[in-house]
Amino acid sequence: MVSVSNSTPYHVDLAALMRLYETNYAKLNALISVNPEVDDVRTYQVNHSVYQITVLEVTRYTTLVNVAQCEQVPIFPLPNMTVRLYHDARVAEVFASDKISRIHARYDYPNPDMRQKDEKFQLNQFLGEWLTYCLKQGISREQLF
């Protein structure tokens, strides 16, 4: 007989998540233009991969950007992420990713879509690592002002 382990439930570490949002905001602002406008595109080449940040929406307090890989057949595919920057709070959050239109802070596990308990934290952490990679290793294809 198979028994299901009832481990302690996952609780969101809000302080760690907010630190992640704050550092992602600073990193992302270093990669996009100072006064972004809708349809602004920044393309970065890192080694043999090409990444693109596209501004989708600009409002008084927020900016919505899409982070995607530009290659036809990527070696290590990056998830296509939509990130919202909140300028008043100075945080950036992965708002959507690939086929997930809204990412919840936690998921029960197991679930029908097989999402991890801390899917939101993992996506934002991945974004932070990717932004660091672009800042350290990337070359912009556009002239930076």
Side-chain angles (χ1 to χ4, degrees), residues 30-80:
L31 292 171
I32 61 175
S33 60
V34 177
N35 294 313
E37 295 180 10
V38 174
D39 295 330
D40 279 357
V41 176
R42 283 287 169 92
T43 306
Y44 292 92
Q45 181 160 352
V46 185
N47 295 326
H48 301 290
S49 299
V50 180
Y51 305 103
Q52 185 170 296
I53 301 171
T54 307
V55 178
L56 303 175
E57 175 186 282
V58 177
T59 65
R60 183 174 179 181
Y61 297 109
T62 65
T63 301
L64 189 66
V65 298
N66 185 55
V67 178
Q69 202 162 3
C70 301
E71 299 159 349
Q72 296 272 340
V73 183
I75 298 169
F76 298 106
L78 170 77
N80 188 4

Side-chain angles (χ1 to χ4, degrees), residues 24 27 31 127-138:
N24 285 352
K27 292 173 188 175
L31 292 171
L127 174 66
E129 291 170 1
W130 178 82
L131 293 171
T132 299
Y133 182 61
C134 279
L135 286 167
K136 288 184 177 180
Q137 306 291 325

Side-chain angles (χ1 to χ4, degrees), residues 81-114:
M81 295 181 279
T82 305
V83 182
R84 187 174 304 276
L85 290 87
Y86 299 92
H87 303 298
D88 52 346
R90 302 183 65 78
V91 295
E93 167 191 25
V94 176
F95 186 76
S97 177
D98 287 330
K99 295 178 178 137
I100 308 171
S101 61
R102 184 170 173 351
I103 302 167
H104 298 285
R106 75 173 196 86
Y107 291 91
D108 291 328
Y109 195 82
N111 57 64
D113 297 323
M114 292 306 294

Side-chain angles (χ1 to χ4, degrees), residues 113-125:
D113 297 323
M114 292 306 294
R115 296 212 168 68
Q116 297 298 313
K117 293 178 181 182
D118 61 343
E119 189 92 11
K120 183 176 210 109
F121 187 87
Q122 287 187 34
L123 280 169
N124 281 284
Q125 188 171 33

